[in-house]
Amino acid sequence: MKILIINGPNLNLLGRREPGIYGSKSFEDYLSELHTLFPETDISCFQSNHEGAIIDKLHEAGFSADGIVLNAGALTHTSIALADAVAAIPAPVIEVHISNVHAREEFRRHSFIAAKCAGSITGLGLDGYRLALSYFIGRGR
Ligand code: DQA
């Protein structure tokens, strides 16, 4: 099973960025935990701070991956182009947010991509990525 994790803008700074909100673990460290937890799953990760690069990646992987876990960062709240890209691909996409976007600023409550996704996980910290992977793996059995 091939799962792609896509992290959007500023998520390269996980572990150092606002640790009170996003925690103090780097995504590299968390990703190696995911590889240990799911040794039989082909998990790859792509991070970009650029909207177009994320759209290109969705186009590239979206016709062959079994599932995509997408934390689009702030693009979640702004990008119709990203929502269109999610809608354009056959791979199921799960939207993940580390923080509880509904308990923060008003502008974070709206997601352009949510309606195009299979589901959304928000506010459960990094564990949201593991839960999304478990969903895809359970579904593929
Ligand atoms: C985030 C929430 C977004 O509102 C924010 O812009 C991010 C991270 C999260 O994982 O909680 O960059 O997607």
Side-chain angles (χ1 to χ4, degrees), residues 12-117:
N12 53 312
L13 295 181
L14 279 179
R16 290 185 289 157
R17 170 196 186 194
E18 299 181 88
I21 297 175
Y22 299 111
S24 50
K25 192 176 284 182
S26 73
F27 201 77
E28 290 70 24
D29 286 349
Y30 182 66
L31 187 60
S32 52
E33 288 176 26
L34 289 178
H35 283 133
T36 306
L37 275 172
F38 302 106
E40 292 182 358
T41 306
D42 176 355
I43 306 167
S44 56
C45 182
F46 175 80
Q47 190 279 327
S48 178
N49 295 319
H50 305 279
E51 182 176 15
I54 295 170
I55 292 169
D56 286 345
K57 194 68 185 176
L58 285 166
H59 293 177
E60 181 196 313
F63 291 85
S64 56
D66 297 300
I68 295 175
V69 182
L70 173 62
N71 184 346
L75 292 173
T76 305
H77 319 299
T78 61
S79 178
I80 295 168
L82 201 53
D84 282 350
V86 172
I89 57 170
V93 176
I94 297 181
E95 173 187 26
V96 167
H97 298 289
I98 297 163
S99 64
N100 182 352
V101 288
H102 301 289
R104 299 180 65 191
E105 300 94 328
E106 182 70 36
F107 65 83
R108 292 188 205 275
R109 292 193 187 164
H110 180 256
S111 166
F112 279 102
I113 62 173
K116 314 293 181 191
C117 289

